[in-house]
Amino acid sequence: MDLFRRFLRNPLSLTGFIILLFFALVAALAPLIAPPQGPVGTSPYLIPRAGWGTIPLPPGPGHLFGTAEGQYDIFYGIVWGTRTAFGVGLAVVGASLIIGLVVGSVAGFFGGWLDELMMRVTDIFLAFPYLVAAVVVTTILGKGLDKVIIALILFGWMGYARLIRSSVLQVKEMEFVEAARALGQKTWKIILRHVLPNSIYPLLVQASMDIGSVVLTAAGLSFLGLGAETGFADWGQLVSFARNWIKGEPGAPFQYWYTVFWPSLAIVLFVLGWNLVGDGVRDVMDPRLRQGRNS
Amino acid sequence: MTHYIVRRLLLLPVVAFGATLLIFIFMQFLSPYQLVSTYVRSPEELRHADLDTLVKKYHLDAPFYERYFDWVGNILHGNLGWSATSNDWVAHSIAARFPATLELAIYAAIPMALGGIWLGTVAAVNHNRFWDHVTRIFAIIGWSLPTFVFGLVFLMVFYVWLGWFPPGRLSTWATQVVISPSFHAYTGMYSIDALLNGRLDVFFNALQHLVGPVITLSYLYWALLLRITRSSMLESLRQDYVRTARAKGLEESVVIKKHARRNALIPVATSVGLMFLGLLAGVIITETVFNYPGIGLLTYQAAAQLDYPMVLGICLLYAGLLVLVNLVVDIGYALIDPRVSLD
């Protein structure tokens, strides 16, 4: 609780926390804020269309934020896209964290050839830039958010594995681990009860800082047309709808500003929220920064 | 140290083997027809022959390990297949597009390295004061801003509204100069070729097209490098030799530039190497937004058209680049920092 209070005392972390709280509310109350309009049985994540024309409509009654190319309602897309953003960010980071935790702790604790093997496999996965790997995997697996999540997990666990391995290596030489071993505890129990709780904090800090960048990458894939299916409530896709509309009619350079502005604002605020929170978490959790005051 | 470098070099074939194996495993998710398309040596083959003949011809019914070694052999001979989207050999169109991306990355890297290090120093010297907070907020905004949003807004303001920086790589008239037989393509990088050919007008036209992509590509890395330099500088400013330098009455600027920063730059140098890679990989989105015809736009077009040979070829290119740059960075690190004696 003391940690949490210190976290909230930092104005930047507090701002981030409020932003995320706001988005969490929007995600939870999505059916009330933007009631689904399709017939019963259709997915609420499909954005309703105001018509079949291509030209975006300006904000007005019925379309609070206007409509995007293809007359998809921007307000609806942003509200339901909040759920998509939370889902992708948490699923990818959560699953990567678990894979990294298993690989890193096993490699670090057992050492020897197993460690060597697992770390070389990690090196191999690290031989691909994140975005390039994600593009290749989604191209092969096909379109859809689930494929994006798989691709991002597949190439997102290595950092955690390396991090947990190095802290396991430090912790396993400590006396209390040796004591547990001397008392005849089973190996997996030692890892679970004694080693992991003592080496997991840097991992959590890293995870909270990574959610923002995962959401950015997923949005980037959607922007490239490799992410969510057309019409699915996803912020990256809404921005990609805006690509052809940065140019207004002659004399009106910013005529279609709303197609770019609203979805971009949602992405930027969401990622900013996670980054501020991640930064704050790091400051509170890292005792070195606390004493040195060089946050 | 020699031991470290030798060990690092020995790992190279292991990673190369693993990375190609991984790509090959991904390829097994393709349907037989898609898979065949990554093997054929000309478009006519796909049009005229039927699937069974092609499967037989390229031994796609052979056991897994045989197919893998066949495939690696193909790569080593430079045969990456035929790309339907660019209507050309994969290897050939990658080679043709690469100078454009390299040019973009080089122009992005130099201001990034200088600017990031400079701002990081300013932030560390003014620790917890005004400029430190300003750069901190700049950095946090920097890595919260998606490149495609930044690029689109840049185009709206500086192309549509003000008309200063158009998308693309060259204006039409300049393209005609570049493809004319009297213009020698020494490097494939238009701004440099233009200077070598003495065409200042083409040079400025190329620069004009580079401004937007360069800023879009590099602002994220400015922010990252700034933070890395800053924390490394803070560490170094606390060292005893800095106190000694101050105690013996050296000027503050000398203490900071010669004593503190030189040592702080060792970890920064490795980051710069890795960020150059980040720039090369980051071009997928930036080039797509600015319609800049390099590897990034090629990747986008290939992925959108499900051009598997091309996507896989680009993946191989990036894996190769990444392994190579990592090797250079690691060895460079061991060379500049005598304290590194890893085994």
Side-chain angles (χ1 to χ4, degrees):
Chain A
M1 236 30 247
D2 176 52
L3 279 183
F4 190 60
R5 212 173 305 134
R6 244 178 329 117
F7 171 79
L8 288 187
R9 213 180 298 144
N10 179 345
L12 287 179
S13 333
L14 182 66
T15 316
F17 186 72
I18 291 172
I19 293 175
L20 289 187
L21 210 61
F22 169 75
F23 276 113
L25 274 177
V26 171
L29 302 176
L32 297 177
I33 303 172
Q37 295 157 4
V40 185
T42 50
S43 164
Y45 287 96
L46 294 178
I47 310 174
R49 305 176 73 165
W52 305 102
T54 45
I55 302 172
L57 301 176
H63 307 288
L64 207 52
F65 291 169
T67 67
E69 178 182 275
Q71 303 198 355
Y72 289 102
D73 187 55
I74 295 178
F75 180 75
Y76 189 95
I78 285 176
V79 170
W80 285 84
T82 312
R83 289 189 171 192
T84 312
F86 270 113
V88 171
L90 294 176
V92 169
V93 171
S96 309
L97 198 68
I98 292 170
I99 298 175
L101 205 65
V102 172
V103 173
S105 54
V106 168
F109 193 82
F110 292 102
W113 65 270
L114 194 62
D115 180 31
E116 188 69 23
L117 178 74
M118 283 178 142
M119 285 303 109
R120 293 300 77 80
V121 171
T122 311
D123 283 347
I124 288 163
F125 275 86
L126 281 169
F128 301 94
Y130 196 41
L131 188 62
V132 175
V135 166
V136 173
V137 176
T138 43
T139 312
I140 288 177
L141 293 182
K143 223 174 171 180
L145 266 185
D146 46 343
K147 317 288 193 325
V148 169
I149 293 175
I150 292 173
L152 293 182
I153 294 171
L154 205 54
F155 285 91
W157 55 272
M158 296 85 74
Y160 301 118
R162 284 189 157 185
L163 205 61
I164 197 83
R165 174 177 171 272
S166 66
S167 50
V168 164
L169 283 179
Q170 277 173 15
V171 172
K172 86 169 179 184
E173 298 303 328
M174 296 199 172
E175 274 121 5
F176 62 88
V177 175
E178 216 159 302
R181 204 179 289 152
L183 286 172
Q185 276 213 10
K186 286 202 181 70
T187 310
W188 64 269
K189 264 194 180 161
I190 298 178
I191 297 183
L192 223 57
R193 287 226 187 118
H194 301 282
V195 176
L196 283 189
N198 281 290
S199 39
I200 207 167
Y201 284 114
L203 206 64
L204 291 182
V205 171
Q206 190 59 42
S208 64
M209 315 235 320
D210 282 348
I211 292 186
S213 73
V214 162
V215 171
L216 276 189
T217 310
L221 287 173
S222 285
F223 176 78
L224 292 175
L226 294 167
E229 278 163 59
T230 314
F232 193 91
D234 176 274
W235 297 339
Q237 175 162 221
L238 282 176
V239 181
S240 84
F241 284 154
R243 266 190 77 190
N244 297 326
W245 302 95
I246 58 171
K247 207 173 194 166
E249 278 160 39
F254 297 116
Q255 191 184 1
Y256 302 110
W257 61 275
Y258 46 89
T259 58
V260 179
F261 180 76
W262 295 114
S264 304
L265 185 71
I267 298 177
V268 171
L269 279 181
F270 189 82
V271 176
L272 185 68
W274 279 109
N275 284 342
L276 289 174
V277 165
D279 218 40
V281 170
R282 189 194 55 191
D283 284 3
V284 210
M285 293 261 218
D286 194 338
R288 259 186 326 152
L289 294 176
R290 209 183 303 157
Q291 284 150 12
R293 300 204 335 120
N294 61 340
S295 56
Chain B
M1 172 121 103
T2 328
H3 179 74
Y4 170 71
I5 293 177
V6 168
R7 185 184 141 83
R8 202 64 193 67
L9 285 174
L10 284 179
L11 274 179
L12 205 60
V14 178
V15 172
F17 169 72
T20 46
L21 188 62
L22 192 63
I23 297 179
F24 192 68
I25 291 172
F26 283 143
M27 285 171 62
Q28 308 312 312
F29 285 94
L30 297 172
S31 74
Y33 184 78
Q34 293 165 338
L35 192 59
V36 162
S37 77
T38 66
Y39 279 84
V40 292
R41 305 224 160 101
S42 74
E44 283 74 30
E45 262 188 301
L46 267 187
R47 244 172 265 145
H48 300 307
D50 65 315
L51 191 57
D52 291 336
T53 344
L54 287 175
V55 165
K56 286 241 163 51
K57 182 171 174 197
Y58 294 109
H59 309 291
L60 296 183
D61 45 4
F64 182 82
Y65 65 92
E66 265 181 43
R67 275 183 292 142
Y68 170 72
F69 286 111
D70 273 359
W71 179 72
V72 170
N74 260 341
I75 296 172
L76 292 178
H77 284 102
N79 177 24
L80 298 173
W82 177 267
S83 159
T85 43
S86 48
N87 202 18
D88 194 357
W89 298 99
V90 169
H92 188 248
S93 44
I94 288 180
R97 293 276 197 114
F98 192 70
T101 294
L102 191 64
E103 183 176 29
L104 182 53
I106 290 174
Y107 276 100
I110 294 166
M112 168 201 82
L114 298 179
I117 291 172
W118 174 62
L119 286 177
T121 314
V122 169
V125 170
N126 295 293
H127 184 210
N128 276 343
R129 271 177 292 180
F130 180 70
W131 285 111
D132 191 21
H133 295 304
V134 170
T135 52
R136 181 179 191 171
I137 290 169
F138 166 74
I140 290 181
I141 293 176
W143 65 69
S144 303
L145 204 61
T147 43
F148 51 90
V149 167
F150 186 93
L152 284 182
V153 173
F154 184 95
L155 279 177
M156 279 175 101
V157 174
F158 291 101
Y159 167 56
V160 177
W161 186 36
L162 297 171
W164 294 353
F165 303 120
R169 196 174 171 204
L170 282 179
S171 302
T172 319
W173 63 266
T175 313
Q176 262 150 16
V177 173
V178 168
I179 56 173
S180 69
S182 61
F183 188 92
H184 278 282
Y186 298 100
T187 60
M189 296 187 246
Y190 289 161
S191 63
I192 295 171
D193 286 350
L195 283 183
L196 293 176
N197 282 283
R199 291 297 300 252
L200 272 183
D201 51 345
V202 176
F203 173 72
F204 284 116
N205 190 267
L207 283 194
Q208 199 185 4
H209 286 82
L210 275 167
V211 171
V214 160
I215 296 176
T216 309
L217 190 59
S218 59
Y219 71 83
L220 169 69
Y221 295 98
W222 277 65
L224 282 174
L225 195 62
L226 184 172
R227 296 297 287 181
I228 293 170
T229 311
R230 175 183 171 279
S231 57
S232 178
M233 267 300 275
L234 284 177
E235 196 73 40
S236 153
L237 280 170
R238 274 204 296 265
Q239 300 295 321
D240 287 339
Y241 56 77
V242 171
R243 192 181 308 156
T244 311
R246 282 196 180 123
K248 68 184 182 188
L250 286 181
E251 261 177 64
E252 186 63 13
S253 72
V254 177
V255 174
I256 288 169
K257 283 184 189 148
K258 292 261 165 73
H259 293 246
R261 188 157 70 185
R262 286 227 175 135
N263 284 289
L265 283 187
I266 292 174
V268 173
T270 43
S271 321
V272 170
L274 295 178
M275 284 176 187
F276 187 64
L277 256 178
L279 291 175
L280 282 176
V283 294
I284 299 182
I285 289 176
T286 305
E287 287 184 2
T288 304
V289 173
F290 284 94
N291 205 18
Y292 182 92
I295 297 287
L297 190 61
L298 193 65
T299 314
Y300 165 71
Q301 288 160 342
Q305 305 287 325
L306 300 184
D307 181 352
Y308 299 103
M310 183 60 96
V311 171
L312 292 168
I314 290 170
C315 185
L316 276 170
L317 167 79
Y318 272 110
L321 278 176
L322 202 149
V323 171
L324 203 70
V325 173
N326 265 327
L327 183 74
V328 171
V329 164
D330 279 1
I331 292 177
Y333 193 56
L335 288 179
I336 54 174
D337 191 346
R339 283 168 299 186
V340 176
S341 59
L342 301 158
D343 56 341

